[in-house]
Amino acid sequence: MAEVKQFEIPLLSAKDVECRVQSVSKNKAGRVGAVLLIYKDARVDMRILDQVFGPSNWQRTHEVINGNLFCNIDIWDDTKKAWIRKQDVGVESNTEKEKGQASDAFKRAGFNVGIGRELYTAPFIYVELVDSEYYVEKQGQKEIYRCFPSTRFSVAHIGYNDRREISELVIVDRNGNVRFDMNAQKTTTNAPGPSANTNAQAGRQTAQQAPQGASSGPVCPECGGPISSAEQQYSMKKYGRELCRSCQKKV
């Protein structure tokens, strides 16, 4: 029997992962914070497909099914002498409708291949903002909080456990200051300060020294209280943003 070649999709590095602001809000304590999302660019999928299978051993096509744009990633299986297909549908972009939908379909098909599945294990990421990072828009009696275009965050470090789940994640601002460390009890919010590596190390030391039972889980961006994974999922599905059970009742 011919030996079947095993392909292992590499885990994403910090350079492969990008970070963007999903929402900005003010909690009851008067602090303004942002919910961040981490994601991969389509060029990451292309590089990994080239790296793992070879540039000539995969191909990308698109087709419309029931009015929806799908992407097909076909990978050549030399043992079976056949193309193996992974397919998924895309979602329209807010900026470039067709291009965004095609890119999204490609990235979703890449997830089916195994590229970036670890991103699904990312923690809830919330950072408090300083005054220079956000502004307020008035819409009647309502205040809308938004980040300035210059407010940017990036992934400085990402690590995984043996289940290919994210176990370490450090996010810094444009000045290199740590704003989120999933293994630290507290993170910094002020701009000038030590380097990302210094802050990350200090944050991890704080977490190790914290008393057992201290909460380091996700918090509600509205009131600052703890929020469970189930509450996050339900709130995102119904309200489009993370809220604890108490804040959900007030919406």
Side-chain angles (χ1 to χ4, degrees):
M1 181 179 292
E3 182 180 352
V4 178
K5 186 176 180 180
Q6 298 295 321
F7 296 99
E8 183 175 359
I9 302 297
L11 292 163
L12 300 179
S13 68
K15 293 182 179 179
D16 296 326
V17 183
E18 298 187 45
C19 186
R20 69 175 175 85
V21 175
Q22 180 191 35
S23 62
V24 182
S25 60
K26 183 177 183 180
N27 61 27
K28 291 182 178 179
R31 295 188 294 269
V32 176
V35 176
L36 307 182
L37 291 179
I38 57 174
Y39 65 99
K40 62 179 172 65
D41 186 89
R43 286 169 290 188
V44 172
D45 296 72
M46 298 178 192
R47 179 184 61 77
I48 292 179
L49 287 167
D50 284 348
Q51 173 187 334
V52 176
F53 303 105
S56 302
N57 294 323
W58 71 275
Q59 59 186 12
R60 167 188 179 180
T61 56
H62 290 270
E63 60 180 314
V64 177
I65 302 176
N66 295 329
N68 298 311
L69 184 64
F70 282 75
C71 177
N72 307 312
I73 296 180
D74 296 298
I75 299 170
W76 178 254
D77 187 320
D78 199 47
T79 301
K80 298 178 180 178
K81 302 298 179 184
W83 290 98
I84 305 302
R85 172 168 292 184
K86 302 293 183 179
Q87 182 188 73
D88 213 325
V89 66
V91 178
E92 293 179 2
S93 168
N94 292 328
T95 54
E96 298 177 279
K97 181 177 178 180
E98 294 182 358
K99 182 179 178 181
Q101 191 174 10
S103 177
D104 186 66
F106 176 59
K107 289 187 291 183
R108 287 170 180 263
F111 275 121
N112 291 334
V113 174
I115 302 173
R117 287 183 186 174
E118 56 271 24
L119 294 179
Y120 287 119
T121 68
F124 176 71
I125 307 170
Y126 176 80
V127 299
E128 288 187 9
L129 301 175
V130 295
D131 293 345
S132 60
E133 294 177 324
Y134 70 91
Y135 62 97
V136 184
E137 285 185 355
K138 290 282 188 178
Q139 294 186 3
Q141 299 297 320
K142 192 174 182 180
E143 292 184 336
I144 306 297
Y145 291 83
R146 304 186 189 279
C147 279
F148 287 112
S150 59
T151 304
R152 298 175 185 174
F153 301 93
S154 59
V155 177
H157 171 74
I158 190 168
Y160 307 93
N161 60 24
D162 57 2
R163 293 171 56 87
R164 298 174 68 92
E165 299 168 332
I166 297 175
S167 58
E168 300 176 18
L169 181 64
V170 178
I171 293 177
V172 298
D173 58 27
R174 59 182 300 180
N175 296 312
N177 300 295
V178 173
R179 305 296 292 276
F180 176 87
D181 185 343
M182 68 179 290
N183 290 329
Q185 184 181 23
K186 294 181 180 180
T187 56
T188 59
T189 56
N190 296 324
S195 66
N197 290 335
T198 303
N199 273 344
Q201 183 177 6
R204 294 195 183 96
Q205 289 176 349
T206 301
Q208 293 171 357
Q209 296 170 359
Q212 292 186 355
S215 175
S216 59
V219 297
C220 174
E222 185 67 24
C223 67
I227 180 172
S228 67
S229 298
E231 288 172 337
Q232 284 183 39
Q233 296 174 5
Y234 176 81
S235 182
M236 282 298 298
K237 184 177 181 181
K238 187 168 183 178
Y239 304 106
R241 58 194 178 111
E242 292 87 352
L243 296 170
C244 67
R245 185 170 298 178
S246 297
C247 292
Q248 289 176 26
K249 296 178 180 178
K250 299 175 184 178
V251 175

